[in-house]
Amino acid sequence: MPNQDKIIEQATEIGQQYFIDQYNTEVEFTDHKFMPKDLSHNVSLSGHVQDDKETEISILIDYDTFEVQTAIVPKELLKQKKN
């Protein structure tokens, strides 16, 4: 696997931009987890909405392509999703 710190740094930037683009919301990632390589090439980032530690979010990003696979957001953020 390439440099994990670089992957986390790039995935964090992409994840933060995703939440801005999709939900008009700034987030802060506080934890990461690499999925087992034999299952997927994804890194999971979890954290919360900036200035609201109670509103937890997470996102799954493919670290080969840096495409967002899925995002887990609370209902109040889903209402803000841009089409």
Side-chain angles (χ1 to χ4, degrees), residues 2 4 6 9-10 13 15 19 21 24 26-27 38 43 52 54 58 62 64-65 69-70 76 82:
Q4 288 190 4
K6 273 207 175 326
E9 185 180 317
Q10 190 168 354
E13 289 175 16
F19 279 98
D21 292 346
N24 198 29
E26 292 191 28
V27 299
D38 54 341
V43 59
D52 181 4
E54 300 298 309
S58 63
D62 181 312
D64 289 331
T65 63
Q69 302 300 306
T70 188
E76 57 266 25
K82 298 176 182 176

Side-chain angles (χ1 to χ4, degrees), residues 28-45:
E28 183 178 329
F29 295 114
T30 55
D31 196 18
H32 69 274
K33 182 176 176 184
F34 283 91
M35 301 295 120
K37 275 196 288 193
D38 54 341
L39 296 178
S40 72
H41 286 205
N42 292 330
V43 59
S44 168
L45 301 174

Side-chain angles (χ1 to χ4, degrees), residues 8 20 28 30 46 59 63:
I8 294 163
I20 289 169
E28 183 178 329
T30 55
S46 58
I59 192 166
Y63 58 74

